[in-house]
Amino acid sequence: MLKDTFRTFDDIAEYNNYKVLEAFGECGIAARHMSGSTGYGYSDEGRDKLGELFARTMATESALVSPLIASGTHAITTALFGVLRPGDVVLSLTGKPYDTLRGVVYKSGGGSLPDFGIQFNDIPILDGGKLDVQSALELIKKDKRIKVVYFQRSRGYEWRASIIVSEINNALREIREEFPNIISMVDNCYGEFVEKEEPCADVLIGSLIKNPGAGIAPTGGYIAGKEELIERISERLTCPGIGREIGSYQSGYIQFYQGLFFAPGVVRNALCGAALTAAVFESLGCDVSPGSHDFRTDITQAIKLCSAERMLELTRAVQQSSPIDSMATPYPWDMPGYQSQVVMAAGTFVQGGSIELSADGPMKDPFIVFMQGGLMLEQVKVALLEYLDKALRK
Ligand SMILES: *Cc1c(COP(=O)(O)O)cnc(C)c1O
């Protein structure tokens, strides 16, 4: 049933693998670049080459790639603070940003954007995953303080469509035509290598424990984009006047290079797993988003289970089918920042790494589980069989 869908994912993986390999060649990546450094990390060639490699792969001028970037949220926050100055306004065309960013962009306290007199405004996505470019253009015309337009490609933990790359690029073209000086930023988390091209934004940001790390990179994030902006952001990542001259990592960079090399294939596996999951739950009569045959721009799969019991069964089946911590039983708990309890399954090699098979969601009606990742399609099959076996027995 999914043969054609899987073939599409194969085709994209082949294209992206070629793109990555070509970038390795053009950057002249050599054995010595795998070595690490200590202390300040002056002239750390492995670090600098890794940035160059990501920039080529993402088709940008420059990139910061670092294990010192602690998470995706840290990467996005660093980029925002690097580019914005007091009095500036950000306009999001994809509604409210990902949960963990809300304390950074809306809430006063702790040195958030509002603490520095920087405002974050958002306009909602239109039906069918369309961006409201007309409203954005009107707002930018009226408010000269708007310096950055912001997009979140993936759905995050919302029952909404993810935004496909061509939709983001069309919006960028229209906005740049009227306002050539506006800076664009895309939260690219979960999106890398799902399509043949990445969004053509001025700044692209993502996490290395998701798609581009392939489950091999142990931590880190990337910020890729225009040279001038990346330079400015590097002065926020470390210090003004010092920027990317420093930053060491003694363990070396082999896992980051290897992660990028494997990423297109691993993303393909995750996509096959997501489409299969969608097909299985469609056949059980559940609402899923996206559908098994839909075009995808990220690796997430949302399933409306409509029952607390099924939600526990599915997350427990995922946990039980994991290589690490398979003996653990997921229970709903009161997570900081959420209104209802949240249940999470993740038996991953890299702690919290969600390019590995994971499933989670808030315990509230209509009981939506978000499933993503899967380094191997075979593991996703085991988890689905585990769930079906229990459910059908019942
Ligand atoms: C994962 C993710 C982030 C960043 O999350 P971290 O947990 O801080 O790495 C931001 N946006 C989206 C859409 C994400 O999926």
Side-chain angles (χ1 to χ4, degrees), residues 276 317-318 320-322 357 376-389:
L276 180 63
V318 167
Q320 203 185 318
S321 314
S322 298
L357 183 60
M376 306 291 288
L377 173 60
E378 290 79 355
Q379 188 203 346
V380 182
K381 286 187 186 175
V382 170
L384 290 171
L385 283 172
E386 193 66 47
Y387 172 78
L388 288 172
D389 191 48

Side-chain angles (χ1 to χ4, degrees), residues 268-299:
R268 180 254 320 273
N269 297 349
L271 288 171
C272 290
L276 180 63
T277 303
V280 164
F281 283 94
E282 278 167 354
S283 75
L284 294 173
C286 294
D287 249 355
V288 296
S289 171
S292 56
H293 290 87
D294 288 351
F295 184 86
R296 286 170 190 262
T297 190
D298 69 4
I299 61 165

Side-chain angles (χ1 to χ4, degrees), residues 313-322 345-346 357-359 371 379 383:
E313 275 170 2
L314 178 55
T315 48
R316 285 171 185 179
V318 167
Q319 189 72 37
Q320 203 185 318
S321 314
S322 298
L357 183 60
S358 45
M371 240 168 110
Q379 188 203 346

Side-chain angles (χ1 to χ4, degrees), residues 15 59 88 95 113 133 149 164 179 182 193 211 234 242 318 327:
Y15 181 89
D88 289 342
L113 288 185
V133 182
V149 284
I164 62 173
F179 306 99
I182 210 135
F193 305 122
N211 305 15
S234 79
I242 297 174
V318 167
M327 71 300 279

Side-chain angles (χ1 to χ4, degrees), residues 95-106:
K96 304 234 176 321
Y98 192 73
D99 294 80
T100 53
L101 280 157
R102 296 187 187 179
V104 177
V105 305
Y106 295 123

Side-chain angles (χ1 to χ4, degrees), residues 35 75 111 191 195 293:
S35 322
E195 295 191 47
H293 290 87

